[in-house]
Amino acid sequence: MKLCIALDLPTMGENLFLAKQLEGRDVAFKVGFKAFLDGGHQSVTRLKEMGFEVCLDLKLYDIPNTMAEAAKTIAGFGVDMFTIHASAGRSAMEAVASAVDTCFHRPKILAVTVLTSFSNDECYEIYEGDVADKAEYFAVQARRAGMDGIVCSVHECEFLREMVSGILFVPGIRLNDTPDDQARKGSLEVASKVGADYAVMGRPIYMDENPLIKADWALREIARLNDEL
């Protein structure tokens, strides 16, 4: 399991300052909507120049052709991974996979199953099914469409690990049960036990009084958990 830090600070300057402090450490970074809108593709370039693995988390959702064209543009940024919504449909996922296969640099494609902010009730409202059922359905469709992995919470990891041979990218990792907008969250220990490949932490690190110390603690904890596997 590898630590992935979500860069969601107010400005890209702050995000890059945090990354600079962590240079040389074995971490990946997730660049989401806010950070990308503020810093553009140059922000991704800077992170790659520092030697970090980067996931561009824009969660593409549109008609197949638009998603495919966007995927080719993203591939040109040199990112290691990027995200799309599995709920966009199998045709859209297949179009994205075909598009990046033609690119000089082929990033890995991660299909989002059910957002970690969704409770069962919200999942029913949108998808007419509970979280477990819809996560399984989307994971199977993603595998069949040639995705390299999925995004899911720790609560679905254990049973999805058996049916997904690719990457399990797991956001919503927390250090305690402080209430926030993540309905389905979990600890590093749980993420390790259920087979997560990337444990994504944002606020617990960048909102800490000393983000560097908190990131180093998370890295030590992951190293300990990896040794126990």
Side-chain angles (χ1 to χ4, degrees):
M1 186 170 71
K2 182 171 183 174
L3 176 64
C4 181
I5 299 175
L7 291 178
D8 294 320
L9 286 160
T11 68
M12 200 62 218
E14 291 171 275
N15 287 323
L16 290 175
F17 179 74
L18 174 61
K20 187 68 177 175
Q21 294 181 78
L22 292 165
E23 203 165 3
R25 290 168 172 79
D26 186 25
V27 301
F29 284 109
K30 181 174 79 70
V31 176
F33 266 127
K34 175 65 175 67
F36 189 73
L37 288 173
D38 186 71
H41 65 84
Q42 296 90 344
S43 58
V44 172
T45 301
R46 287 290 297 116
L47 291 169
K48 291 303 298 177
E49 288 173 349
M50 293 181 202
F52 293 115
E53 191 175 6
V54 177
C55 175
L56 185 55
D57 184 31
L58 301 183
K59 300 183 179 74
L60 302 184
Y61 187 111
D62 212 305
I63 63 173
N65 182 69
T66 300
M67 288 178 65
E69 291 301 313
K72 287 190 284 188
T73 299
I74 289 171
F77 298 156
V79 299
D80 300 280
M81 300 173 280
F82 70 98
T83 60
I84 68 173
H85 272 290
S87 56
R90 185 167 169 182
S91 293
M93 288 190 282
E94 289 174 343
V96 169
S98 295
V100 297
D101 281 345
T102 67
C103 297
F104 176 76
H105 168 74
R106 189 201 185 282
K108 290 181 168 54
I109 313 163
L110 306 178
V112 178
T113 54
V114 179
L115 293 173
T116 51
S117 61
F118 283 8
S119 64
N120 256 328
D121 288 344
E122 288 172 310
C123 192
Y124 266 109
E125 288 176 9
I126 296 171
Y127 297 129
E128 298 183 348
D130 65 23
V131 170
D133 286 344
K134 298 313 294 186
E136 179 177 347
Y137 172 77
F138 289 137
V140 170
Q141 292 301 305
R143 185 192 67 208
R144 290 173 176 169
M147 299 296 94
D148 300 290
I150 60 169
V151 181
C152 65
S153 85
V154 292
H155 298 270
E156 296 88 57
C157 268
E158 192 163 18
F159 69 89
L160 292 181
R161 175 81 284 171
E162 299 175 1
M163 62 184 69
V164 177
S165 58
I167 298 166
L168 289 184
F169 192 84
V170 183
I173 302 301
R174 296 291 185 261
L175 303 177
N176 51 49
D177 293 325
T178 303
D180 58 29
D181 59 351
Q182 298 282 34
R184 300 182 344 273
K185 54 192 176 184
S187 66
L188 285 171
E189 185 170 6
V190 172
S192 176
K193 286 180 179 178
V194 296
D197 296 297
Y198 290 84
V200 185
M201 299 178 71
R203 282 168 280 187
I205 291 176
Y206 68 72
M207 291 186 69
D208 193 81
E209 290 182 359
N210 195 320
L212 185 59
I213 290 176
K214 187 56 62 73
D216 281 339
W217 174 87
L219 286 168
R220 289 194 299 272
E221 181 69 2
I222 287 174
R224 179 184 68 80
L225 292 166
N226 288 342
D227 286 342
E228 291 178 358
L229 292 177

